[in-house]
Amino acid sequence: MNDSTSHVRAHGRRPDALRDLSLERGFTCHAEGAVLIRMGQTHVLCTASVLDKVPPFLKGKGQGWVTAEYGMLPRATHTRGDREAAKGKQSGRTQEIQRLIGRSLRAVFDLQKLGERTLHLDCDVLQADGGTRCASITGAWLAAADAVDLLLRRGDLAESPIIDQVAAVSVGLYRGAPLLDLDYIEDSGCEADVNVVMTGQGNLVEVQGTAEGRAFSRQELDGLLDLAQGGIAQLVTQQRAHLRPFGG
Amino acid sequence: MNDSTSHVRAHGRRPDALRDLSLERGFTCHAEGAVLIRMGQTHVLCTASVLDKVPPFLKGKGQGWVTAEYGMLPRATHTRGDREAAKGKQSGRTQEIQRLIGRSLRAVFDLQKLGERTLHLDCDVLQADGGTRCASITGAWLAAADAVDLLLRRGDLAESPIIDQVAAVSVGLYRGAPLLDLDYIEDSGCEADVNVVMTGQGNLVEVQGTAEGRAFSRQELDGLLDLAQGGIAQLVTQQRAHLRPFGG
Amino acid sequence: MNDSTSHVRAHGRRPDALRDLSLERGFTCHAEGAVLIRMGQTHVLCTASVLDKVPPFLKGKGQGWVTAEYGMLPRATHTRGDREAAKGKQSGRTQEIQRLIGRSLRAVFDLQKLGERTLHLDCDVLQADGGTRCASITGAWLAAADAVDLLLRRGDLAESPIIDQVAAVSVGLYRGAPLLDLDYIEDSGCEADVNVVMTGQGNLVEVQGTAEGRAFSRQELDGLLDLAQGGIAQLVTQQRAHLRPFGG
Amino acid sequence: MNDSTSHVRAHGRRPDALRDLSLERGFTCHAEGAVLIRMGQTHVLCTASVLDKVPPFLKGKGQGWVTAEYGMLPRATHTRGDREAAKGKQSGRTQEIQRLIGRSLRAVFDLQKLGERTLHLDCDVLQADGGTRCASITGAWLAAADAVDLLLRRGDLAESPIIDQVAAVSVGLYRGAPLLDLDYIEDSGCEADVNVVMTGQGNLVEVQGTAEGRAFSRQELDGLLDLAQGGIAQLVTQQRAHLRPFGG
Amino acid sequence: MNDSTSHVRAHGRRPDALRDLSLERGFTCHAEGAVLIRMGQTHVLCTASVLDKVPPFLKGKGQGWVTAEYGMLPRATHTRGDREAAKGKQSGRTQEIQRLIGRSLRAVFDLQKLGERTLHLDCDVLQADGGTRCASITGAWLAAADAVDLLLRRGDLAESPIIDQVAAVSVGLYRGAPLLDLDYIEDSGCEADVNVVMTGQGNLVEVQGTAEGRAFSRQELDGLLDLAQGGIAQLVTQQRAHLRPFGG
Amino acid sequence: MNDSTSHVRAHGRRPDALRDLSLERGFTCHAEGAVLIRMGQTHVLCTASVLDKVPPFLKGKGQGWVTAEYGMLPRATHTRGDREAAKGKQSGRTQEIQRLIGRSLRAVFDLQKLGERTLHLDCDVLQADGGTRCASITGAWLAAADAVDLLLRRGDLAESPIIDQVAAVSVGLYRGAPLLDLDYIEDSGCEADVNVVMTGQGNLVEVQGTAEGRAFSRQELDGLLDLAQGGIAQLVTQQRAHLRPFGG
């Protein structure tokens, strides 16, 4: 599958380059945090809602909860997909992704410090071009940070429950070569892809690697993880750059 | 319920004034038409998708179909609503609205001229402040017009199946006085509201009037319909202003 | 669409005449109110059940609730329709109609005076020939009145929570001419139809007008509303005629 | 449980007496057969619909199908039950009953002679006082006979596919004594009940006996089956009495 | 249908002989009772779980509940059946069977003596060759007995709530001759079959007889019930043989 | 979290030791392949069914499909879980697992060589003690191999579509130390766990690492992957040992 003619990425992007990232805070007005993240042509609206209740299994335990839901507008993609609300159920893929986002965010929260409330993250893909779950995590963290910031400013929290940053990127083997931050075309054609979620301090939260066309070697995995590590370091830097006071 | 102190509308709006309207075409890149309509703080993303199939009841009849689906992002509103895909069904309200949007658009289409294809309109509310169904209709028409324009430019259609424009506005009795284009606060507190859908030529497509707090007289209805007529005349003018070539 | 040969209605009915109406009280024995309404060949069984509970959003508020459900037996119609219980969901049409019935009845109830109980109206169409939602409203009001009467006689209520009567009729443009109380054939072939719900005092509760074949003018709407007003005046008179003591 | 004071049945009915039976044909106008059966206070509307299709597993096999669905209006009973269409599924009890009705009717049909069509029986309980499944079978047979009669008169069938009559009755042990045709009070309080379905010729189609309060002896079962046999003989006589030409 | 050449049963089994029965206790390790019952090639895993709660309708009434659920692994049968969890609902047949198992077990329990707890029986068919509902009942009783034995040994119960044994067998008319304990081939080809549930003392709990090919006479039913009685007497003897202390 | 007193594993197992593995072929009689895999106290019945059809998206493409479904009997676990068929939907966890099993098996199949048929794998957990998804993959491969073997012996396939073996194991950080093949207690208490799926040749098919209590370093991940690699090498050896002719 390794090809003598190397792959030319859209807009001449280098194999180890991220797509253009933008983080637009306050994109909608009601949510405690509302961030439109754009990773190239992938656009996800991430809102963070503060709810004064916890799921039944946590009632009366004096701690909070962080959870996520994920959706994709029917025409976020090249061809229209069925609306999940009309079909009457969320696909396995949707559930897998929203469970991943929830776990990733909980990994950087001290749920005791959150108090008996839920931070409900909604990640809705307005436009898709690969990497929607990774963009959701990166954007949801900033929306969560804005919501926490509001709780602190309102005096509802005395101390931030956020322990660290969290961000995510996909990497993959495309015609035998490792690529950072796959777009849709690359994602569809790659031999293997790995979604990597890491903290601001550079530790791993999730690694989800899948062979698409052929099994991959341990050495290939190591190369991909190196690449992801570099990409996430840039993402957390950009997240931090947006932490200057908002509306402040 | 008629109150001696008259109601002061947000931003000093007059009783017969529309909220600021903006229509942003090409808001997403995959759909054949994609319009973000903003009526004040109500923001709806309307996409038009061209599908090369028709519903079973129309197969082989040589005509097309126009249909619509409606959704609201969970945190489009003041407090987070449950995600319909997660609940496993669309509410009665959602179904009522999407049936209304579909009927309204079909009223200005010659389905024979559309050929055996479906124009599928998706209206997804990103931010809600009252009047989402009306904004959906007004925005969906422009998205539909952009999709038809693309089919004409591609040579897939020889002639436009669009007969007329269609737009919608809500009117209501608030403390006994008629108001045009209700926002959320006004909508929640009004005695009666009427959603009116009209064509570019000024004929009626739908009238849905509902008493909220008290039954209303025929004379009050007449006053509200007059007000709506004036508002829709402005909306269709603004739709037309956006019909200059897009990407042309 | 206006036709030189005018439409001859079934049984030589005049354009402004209602179909034969009969209201049979006590049609079943368990419900607090049970009325079989027949509008020509449209037969709807309307029962009113008194439940000693209110929906969650009203708990502890010291007021009651009035709600409705609507159904159609599978072979109420010319060809057999699927049973909604077997399909596992109510259609959008069903939900739209039952929401309309509920709103219409609530418009003539003082929910404070009802106390913390629910009046649950079930409207089940045994045989359909157009106008089932209107017949449901007219019949449900009488069933509700019988249930309230029982509560008063039992001493469960000191004062009636019923403020006024409510009844409904459909009107439509058929080959350009206005017709009152459409049957199935007329409903299927009309250019526009309007369902009108009014109180005993002649005020409007709901107006739902829909263009079926072409948009209609304001003047045409005005003519239809006049026609509906006359029809409803007759319906409320007939409702009142049935208010003589039942089982008394 | 055997009680010295014997049970006095409603209206002084003897232990081996059926309730009053009436069979009203043509109760609704659209179905090919439409019978309202009344067994005392149990009223079931049984319609027979002729559909020009068969289920997938029978396609192209040159034979027909007979099937049944069962429903109960929410307020057919003493207290209102939830509407199955609103709950989104049929209960186990409903499914059990409609499977029983379908099997019972198929037992007296020659499906080859029916041709590639389906006879769809709908049994909807308008008012319930025990024995609804048995009344459904007895009434559905007459509705089916009317539908077949219509097919013969229309020339759609050359020969009747009906082999025999079928009818059903419940029997039970109440305070140790056998009773025929239980009403709701008796059904709720009996120690054991048996639903028996038999043909016109006196053979068994279904026997469903259930201990409610205590296991019952073989001898007790024998006594109940004798009682049922006598009751069904009367039911089939009454069915036959209604076979004189209808509308003929 | 009576055939001159008599049916030769698999493994030369006589018409009145049961298949080989084995009862393997402790087949899985977590449940309070866990029995793998094998009736010839029909294998059902029956577990009994003790839950410290009762259904809502029994709350605070000081008594317990016994209930059952039934399932079949997709490839327990000759051809793969759809997984009910994936289809999103249990079939009518599944619900009918699990209701039967529950009723049969409750018939031999004193629910007062069980206290406010639920005994939840799960019967999962690992391999099917006819008679799965009967095997489920026979096996579930032993699992229930093991669970009760554990509660007694733990001191959670002072006295056993089990009143009697319960077991079940199918009988059928095959080419006119009565057969005991039908396997799949016999069950598919028989003219009539009866599932019989009896107590250890020989009383009847359930009789479910169904004509498959033709209605059957009362005399034929009597012969089948005699046959079942003999079979169940053997089953309860074998159940008792397994009541020697387990793990004791 | 690293603890000075090291963890003592059940049965004195060393950190790098697998639990006892047994593979029982032909556990049920109808499926083309039927393997009961036991990894310590985790028991999964894996059946492989050959279906002569492919999913719609593959129709007419001349290739086959391999897919999987996963289930857990309600009392496979310490406390009874709800039956998914009764709840009416599969959980997100179930869907995630069955998608993983399907992808893992497809990674070692040449779908062209399979022809237009589906190999449907059903993995049903009879008893759970951690690692059910990994045991499912390891067992399903052997069931699939038996099914393919049967197709070859029957002449339905000329050549095996199986390219390689596939097996899976979980590894985790428990009190800071790496452990191979976690049981339920270890899985619940670990800081991070990784499910690793590899081919017989030692390449990676899936890596799913999740931080449970704290994010983990790249170095820790590397140690865990080394451990998994050793475990899987033993599993594939044992799979091969079972490839001697079965029933041959």
Side-chain angles (χ1 to χ4, degrees):
Chain A
M1 280 159 237
N2 197 324
D3 203 316
S4 56
T5 58
S6 57
H7 166 59
V8 179
R9 306 188 82 180
H11 312 107
R13 188 154 57 108
R14 284 178 325 175
D16 62 349
L18 292 174
R19 290 179 285 181
D20 285 343
L21 167 70
S22 92
L23 292 158
E24 183 173 346
R25 294 160 77 205
F27 185 75
T28 61
C29 66
H30 300 305
E32 282 74 28
V35 170
L36 180 69
I37 181 170
R38 294 189 184 87
M39 291 279 290
Q41 291 301 311
T42 288
H43 303 176
V44 186
L45 173 54
C46 305
T47 59
S49 298
V50 177
L51 312 178
D52 283 327
K53 59 178 181 186
V54 288
F57 70 92
L58 285 182
K59 264 182 196 153
K61 302 214 171 155
Q63 71 160 89
W65 188 240
V66 176
T67 189
E69 285 182 3
Y70 170 92
M72 200 181 263
L73 295 193
R75 194 56 197 280
T77 44
H78 285 80
T79 56
R80 189 179 180 275
D82 288 338
R83 186 177 289 266
E84 292 192 329
K87 284 166 60 180
K89 65 174 188 171
Q90 294 179 301
S91 71
R93 177 185 173 277
T94 292
Q95 292 188 61
E96 210 169 298
I97 292 175
Q98 65 194 13
R99 284 157 53 91
L100 168 68
I101 302 171
R103 283 198 309 270
S104 297
L105 270 288
R106 281 193 296 277
V108 295
F109 262 78
D110 180 331
L111 297 174
Q112 301 292 336
K113 288 194 187 153
L114 184 57
E116 280 211 27
R117 54 174 66 86
T118 295
L119 197 60
H120 197 116
L121 301 159
D122 286 287
C123 299
D124 285 276
V125 180
L126 304 187
Q127 185 176 293
D129 186 34
T132 63
R133 79 189 69 191
C134 291
S136 294
I137 291 168
T138 306
W141 183 83
L142 188 59
D146 277 343
V148 163
D149 190 51
L150 183 64
L151 289 172
L152 288 166
R153 282 188 286 120
R154 276 186 195 158
D156 289 335
L157 282 179
E159 195 183 357
S160 172
I162 300 182
I163 300 165
D164 200 347
Q165 291 172 253
V166 69
V169 81
S170 75
V171 284
L173 288 174
Y174 192 87
R175 301 189 190 168
L179 294 183
L180 178 66
D181 189 18
L182 309 179
D183 66 21
Y184 177 73
I185 296 287
E186 293 165 345
D187 190 45
S188 310
C190 70
E191 292 104 54
D193 72 277
V194 189
N195 289 298
V196 182
V197 185
M198 294 179 81
T199 61
Q201 299 192 9
N203 285 317
L204 290 155
V205 171
E206 289 268 345
V207 177
Q208 296 196 335
T210 300
E212 299 286 351
R214 61 168 176 88
F216 50 99
S217 69
R218 173 68 185 279
Q219 192 178 353
E220 286 173 321
L221 174 64
D222 288 343
L224 290 171
L225 292 173
D226 291 344
L227 199 57
Q229 207 156 342
I232 291 176
Q234 296 173 54
L235 293 172
V236 298
T237 302
Q238 297 204 44
Q239 278 178 334
R240 251 194 317 269
H242 281 83
L243 284 184
R244 65 179 173 282
F246 169 68
Chain B
M1 278 159 239
N2 198 322
D3 202 317
S4 57
T5 59
S6 56
H7 166 59
V8 179
R9 307 188 82 180
H11 311 109
R13 188 152 59 108
R14 285 178 325 176
D16 62 349
L18 293 174
R19 292 178 284 181
D20 286 343
L21 166 71
S22 91
L23 292 157
E24 183 175 347
R25 294 161 76 206
F27 185 75
T28 61
C29 66
H30 299 306
E32 283 73 28
V35 169
L36 181 69
I37 180 169
R38 294 188 184 88
M39 291 280 289
Q41 291 300 312
T42 288
H43 301 175
V44 186
L45 174 53
C46 306
T47 59
S49 298
V50 177
L51 311 179
D52 283 326
K53 59 178 181 187
V54 287
F57 69 92
L58 285 182
K59 263 182 197 154
K61 302 214 171 154
Q63 70 161 89
W65 190 239
V66 175
T67 191
E69 285 182 4
Y70 170 92
M72 200 182 264
L73 294 194
R75 194 57 197 279
T77 44
H78 284 81
T79 56
R80 188 180 182 275
D82 289 336
R83 186 177 290 265
E84 292 192 329
K87 286 166 59 181
K89 64 173 187 173
Q90 294 180 301
S91 71
R93 178 187 172 275
T94 291
Q95 292 187 59
E96 212 168 296
I97 293 175
Q98 63 195 12
R99 283 156 53 91
L100 168 66
I101 302 170
R103 282 196 310 271
S104 298
L105 271 287
R106 281 194 295 277
V108 295
F109 263 79
D110 180 332
L111 296 175
Q112 300 292 337
K113 288 195 185 152
L114 184 56
E116 279 212 28
R117 52 174 68 85
T118 295
L119 196 61
H120 197 116
L121 302 160
D122 286 287
C123 299
D124 285 277
V125 180
L126 305 187
Q127 186 176 294
D129 186 33
T132 62
R133 78 189 69 190
C134 292
S136 295
I137 290 167
T138 306
W141 183 83
L142 189 59
D146 277 343
V148 163
D149 189 52
L150 184 64
L151 289 172
L152 288 167
R153 284 189 284 120
R154 275 187 197 158
D156 289 336
L157 281 178
E159 193 182 358
S160 172
I162 300 183
I163 300 165
D164 200 346
Q165 288 173 256
V166 68
V169 82
S170 74
V171 283
L173 289 174
Y174 190 87
R175 301 187 190 169
L179 292 184
L180 177 66
D181 188 17
L182 309 178
D183 66 20
Y184 176 74
I185 295 287
E186 294 165 344
D187 189 47
S188 310
C190 70
E191 293 105 55
D193 72 277
V194 188
N195 290 297
V196 182
V197 185
M198 293 179 82
T199 61
Q201 300 192 9
N203 284 319
L204 290 156
V205 171
E206 289 267 344
V207 177
Q208 296 197 334
T210 300
E212 300 286 350
R214 60 167 176 89
F216 49 101
S217 68
R218 174 70 185 278
Q219 191 179 354
E220 285 173 322
L221 175 64
D222 289 343
L224 290 171
L225 291 174
D226 291 344
L227 199 55
Q229 207 157 342
I232 291 178
Q234 296 173 55
L235 292 172
V236 298
T237 302
Q238 297 205 43
Q239 278 178 334
R240 251 195 317 271
H242 281 81
L243 283 185
R244 66 178 173 282
F246 169 68
Chain C
M1 279 159 241
N2 198 322
D3 203 316
S4 56
T5 59
S6 58
H7 165 60
V8 178
R9 305 189 83 180
H11 311 107
R13 188 153 57 108
R14 284 179 325 177
D16 62 349
L18 291 175
R19 289 178 287 180
D20 285 343
L21 167 69
S22 92
L23 292 158
E24 185 174 344
R25 294 161 75 207
F27 185 75
T28 62
C29 67
H30 299 306
E32 284 72 29
V35 170
L36 180 68
I37 180 170
R38 294 189 184 87
M39 292 280 290
Q41 292 300 312
T42 288
H43 302 175
V44 185
L45 174 54
C46 306
T47 59
S49 298
V50 176
L51 312 178
D52 283 328
K53 60 179 180 184
V54 288
F57 69 93
L58 285 181
K59 264 185 196 150
K61 303 214 170 154
Q63 71 161 89
W65 190 239
V66 175
T67 189
E69 285 182 5
Y70 169 92
M72 200 182 265
L73 294 195
R75 195 55 197 281
T77 44
H78 285 81
T79 56
R80 187 179 182 276
D82 288 337
R83 187 177 288 268
E84 292 191 329
K87 284 166 58 180
K89 65 173 188 173
Q90 295 179 300
S91 71
R93 178 187 172 276
T94 292
Q95 292 187 60
E96 209 167 298
I97 292 175
Q98 64 194 10
R99 283 157 55 93
L100 168 67
I101 302 170
R103 282 197 310 270
S104 297
L105 271 288
R106 280 194 297 278
V108 295
F109 263 77
D110 179 332
L111 297 174
Q112 300 292 336
K113 289 194 185 153
L114 184 56
E116 280 213 26
R117 52 174 67 87
T118 295
L119 196 61
H120 197 117
L121 302 160
D122 286 287
C123 299
D124 285 277
V125 180
L126 305 187
Q127 185 176 293
D129 185 34
T132 63
R133 78 188 68 191
C134 291
S136 295
I137 290 166
T138 306
W141 182 83
L142 188 59
D146 277 343
V148 163
D149 189 52
L150 185 64
L151 289 172
L152 288 166
R153 284 188 284 122
R154 277 187 194 157
D156 289 337
L157 282 179
E159 195 183 356
S160 172
I162 300 183
I163 300 165
D164 200 346
Q165 291 173 253
V166 69
V169 80
S170 74
V171 284
L173 288 175
Y174 190 88
R175 301 188 191 167
L179 294 184
L180 177 66
D181 189 18
L182 309 179
D183 65 20
Y184 177 73
I185 296 286
E186 293 165 345
D187 190 47
S188 310
C190 71
E191 291 105 56
D193 72 277
V194 188
N195 290 298
V196 181
V197 186
M198 293 179 83
T199 62
Q201 299 193 10
N203 285 318
L204 292 155
V205 171
E206 288 268 343
V207 176
Q208 296 196 335
T210 300
E212 299 286 350
R214 61 169 176 87
F216 50 101
S217 69
R218 174 69 185 279
Q219 191 178 353
E220 286 173 320
L221 174 65
D222 288 343
L224 291 172
L225 291 174
D226 291 343
L227 198 57
Q229 208 156 341
I232 291 177
Q234 296 173 55
L235 293 173
V236 298
T237 301
Q238 296 204 45
Q239 279 178 334
R240 253 196 313 271
H242 280 82
L243 283 183
R244 65 179 172 281
F246 169 68
Chain D
M1 280 158 239
N2 196 323
D3 203 315
S4 56
T5 58
S6 58
H7 166 59
V8 178
R9 307 188 82 178
H11 311 107
R13 188 153 57 109
R14 285 179 324 176
D16 62 350
L18 292 173
R19 290 179 285 181
D20 286 344
L21 168 69
S22 92
L23 292 158
E24 183 175 347
R25 294 160 77 207
F27 186 75
T28 60
C29 66
H30 299 305
E32 283 73 27
V35 170
L36 180 68
I37 180 169
R38 294 190 183 86
M39 292 279 291
Q41 292 299 313
T42 288
H43 302 176
V44 186
L45 173 53
C46 306
T47 58
S49 297
V50 177
L51 312 178
D52 283 326
K53 60 179 180 184
V54 288
F57 69 93
L58 286 182
K59 263 184 196 151
K61 301 215 170 154
Q63 70 160 91
W65 189 239
V66 175
T67 189
E69 285 183 3
Y70 169 93
M72 200 182 263
L73 295 194
R75 195 54 197 283
T77 45
H78 285 80
T79 54
R80 187 177 183 278
D82 288 338
R83 186 178 289 268
E84 292 191 329
K87 285 165 60 181
K89 66 174 186 171
Q90 295 179 301
S91 71
R93 178 186 172 277
T94 291
Q95 293 188 58
E96 210 168 298
I97 292 176
Q98 65 194 11
R99 284 158 53 93
L100 168 67
I101 302 170
R103 283 197 309 270
S104 298
L105 270 289
R106 281 194 296 276
V108 296
F109 262 78
D110 181 332
L111 297 174
Q112 300 292 337
K113 288 193 185 152
L114 184 56
E116 281 211 26
R117 52 174 67 87
T118 294
L119 197 60
H120 197 116
L121 302 159
D122 286 287
C123 298
D124 285 277
V125 180
L126 305 187
Q127 184 176 295
D129 187 33
T132 62
R133 77 189 71 189
C134 292
S136 294
I137 291 167
T138 306
W141 183 84
L142 190 59
D146 277 344
V148 163
D149 190 52
L150 185 64
L151 289 172
L152 288 166
R153 284 189 284 121
R154 276 189 196 156
D156 289 337
L157 281 179
E159 197 183 355
S160 172
I162 300 184
I163 300 165
D164 201 348
Q165 290 172 255
V166 68
V169 81
S170 74
V171 285
L173 289 174
Y174 191 87
R175 300 189 191 167
L179 292 184
L180 178 67
D181 189 18
L182 309 178
D183 67 20
Y184 176 74
I185 295 288
E186 293 165 347
D187 189 48
S188 309
C190 70
E191 293 104 55
D193 72 278
V194 188
N195 290 298
V196 182
V197 185
M198 293 179 82
T199 62
Q201 300 193 8
N203 285 318
L204 291 155
V205 170
E206 288 269 343
V207 177
Q208 296 197 335
T210 301
E212 300 286 349
R214 60 168 175 87
F216 50 101
S217 69
R218 173 69 185 279
Q219 193 178 352
E220 286 173 321
L221 175 64
D222 289 343
L224 290 172
L225 292 174
D226 292 344
L227 199 56
Q229 207 156 343
I232 290 176
Q234 296 172 55
L235 293 173
V236 298
T237 301
Q238 297 204 45
Q239 279 178 334
R240 254 196 314 270
H242 281 82
L243 284 184
R244 64 179 175 282
F246 169 68
Chain E
M1 281 157 235
N2 197 323
D3 202 317
S4 56
T5 58
S6 57
H7 167 58
V8 179
R9 306 187 81 179
H11 311 107
R13 189 153 58 108
R14 285 178 324 176
D16 63 349
L18 292 174
R19 291 178 285 181
D20 286 343
L21 167 69
S22 92
L23 291 158
E24 184 174 345
R25 294 160 76 206
F27 186 75
T28 63
C29 67
H30 299 305
E32 283 73 28
V35 169
L36 180 69
I37 181 169
R38 294 188 185 87
M39 292 279 290
Q41 291 300 310
T42 288
H43 301 175
V44 186
L45 175 53
C46 306
T47 59
S49 298
V50 178
L51 312 179
D52 283 327
K53 60 178 181 187
V54 288
F57 70 93
L58 286 181
K59 262 182 199 155
K61 302 215 169 154
Q63 70 161 89
W65 190 240
V66 175
T67 190
E69 284 182 4
Y70 169 92
M72 199 182 263
L73 295 193
R75 195 54 197 280
T77 44
H78 285 81
T79 55
R80 188 177 182 278
D82 288 337
R83 185 178 291 266
E84 291 190 331
K87 284 165 58 181
K89 66 174 186 172
Q90 295 180 300
S91 70
R93 178 187 172 275
T94 291
Q95 292 187 61
E96 209 168 299
I97 292 175
Q98 65 193 12
R99 282 157 55 93
L100 169 67
I101 302 170
R103 283 197 308 269
S104 297
L105 270 288
R106 281 193 296 278
V108 296
F109 263 77
D110 180 332
L111 296 174
Q112 300 292 337
K113 288 194 185 154
L114 184 56
E116 281 213 23
R117 52 175 68 85
T118 295
L119 197 60
H120 197 115
L121 301 160
D122 286 289
C123 299
D124 285 278
V125 180
L126 305 186
Q127 186 176 293
D129 186 33
T132 62
R133 78 188 71 189
C134 292
S136 294
I137 291 167
T138 307
W141 183 84
L142 189 59
D146 278 344
V148 163
D149 189 52
L150 184 65
L151 289 172
L152 288 166
R153 283 190 284 121
R154 275 186 197 160
D156 288 336
L157 282 178
E159 196 184 356
S160 172
I162 300 183
I163 299 166
D164 201 346
Q165 290 172 253
V166 69
V169 81
S170 75
V171 283
L173 288 174
Y174 191 89
R175 301 187 189 168
L179 293 184
L180 177 66
D181 189 17
L182 309 178
D183 65 19
Y184 176 73
I185 296 287
E186 294 166 345
D187 190 48
S188 309
C190 70
E191 293 104 54
D193 72 277
V194 188
N195 290 298
V196 182
V197 185
M198 294 179 82
T199 62
Q201 298 193 11
N203 284 318
L204 291 156
V205 171
E206 288 268 345
V207 177
Q208 296 196 334
T210 301
E212 300 286 350
R214 61 169 176 86
F216 50 101
S217 69
R218 174 68 184 279
Q219 193 180 351
E220 286 173 322
L221 174 64
D222 289 343
L224 290 171
L225 291 173
D226 291 344
L227 198 57
Q229 207 157 343
I232 291 177
Q234 295 173 54
L235 293 172
V236 298
T237 302
Q238 295 205 44
Q239 279 179 334
R240 253 195 314 271
H242 281 83
L243 284 184
R244 66 180 173 280
F246 169 67
Chain F
M1 279 158 239
N2 197 323
D3 202 318
S4 56
T5 59
S6 57
H7 167 58
V8 179
R9 307 188 82 179
H11 311 108
R13 188 151 59 107
R14 285 177 325 177
D16 62 350
L18 292 174
R19 290 177 287 180
D20 286 343
L21 167 71
S22 92
L23 292 158
E24 184 174 345
R25 294 159 76 206
F27 186 75
T28 61
C29 67
H30 299 306
E32 283 73 28
V35 170
L36 181 69
I37 181 169
R38 294 188 185 88
M39 292 279 290
Q41 292 300 311
T42 288
H43 302 175
V44 186
L45 173 54
C46 306
T47 58
S49 298
V50 177
L51 311 179
D52 283 326
K53 59 179 180 185
V54 288
F57 69 92
L58 285 182
K59 263 183 197 153
K61 302 214 170 153
Q63 71 160 88
W65 190 241
V66 175
T67 189
E69 285 182 3
Y70 169 92
M72 200 182 264
L73 295 194
R75 195 55 198 281
T77 44
H78 285 81
T79 56
R80 187 178 182 277
D82 288 338
R83 185 177 289 267
E84 292 191 329
K87 284 165 57 181
K89 66 174 189 172
Q90 295 180 300
S91 71
R93 179 188 172 273
T94 291
Q95 292 188 60
E96 209 169 298
I97 293 176
Q98 65 194 10
R99 282 158 54 93
L100 168 67
I101 301 171
R103 283 197 309 270
S104 297
L105 271 287
R106 280 194 295 277
V108 294
F109 263 77
D110 180 332
L111 296 174
Q112 300 291 337
K113 288 193 185 154
L114 184 55
E116 280 212 26
R117 52 175 69 85
T118 295
L119 197 60
H120 196 116
L121 302 159
D122 285 288
C123 299
D124 285 277
V125 180
L126 305 187
Q127 185 177 293
D129 186 34
T132 62
R133 77 187 71 189
C134 291
S136 294
I137 291 167
T138 306
W141 184 83
L142 188 59
D146 278 344
V148 163
D149 189 51
L150 184 64
L151 289 172
L152 289 166
R153 283 189 285 121
R154 275 186 195 159
D156 289 336
L157 282 179
E159 195 182 358
S160 173
I162 300 183
I163 300 165
D164 200 346
Q165 290 172 254
V166 69
V169 81
S170 75
V171 284
L173 288 175
Y174 191 88
R175 300 188 190 169
L179 292 184
L180 178 66
D181 189 17
L182 309 179
D183 65 21
Y184 176 74
I185 296 287
E186 293 165 346
D187 189 46
S188 310
C190 69
E191 292 105 54
D193 72 277
V194 188
N195 289 297
V196 182
V197 185
M198 293 179 82
T199 62
Q201 299 192 11
N203 284 318
L204 291 156
V205 170
E206 288 268 344
V207 177
Q208 296 197 334
T210 301
E212 300 285 350
R214 60 168 176 88
F216 50 99
S217 69
R218 173 70 186 278
Q219 192 177 354
E220 285 173 321
L221 175 64
D222 289 343
L224 290 171
L225 291 173
D226 291 343
L227 199 56
Q229 206 157 344
I232 290 177
Q234 296 173 55
L235 292 172
V236 298
T237 302
Q238 296 205 45
Q239 279 178 334
R240 253 196 314 270
H242 280 82
L243 283 184
R244 65 178 174 282
F246 168 67

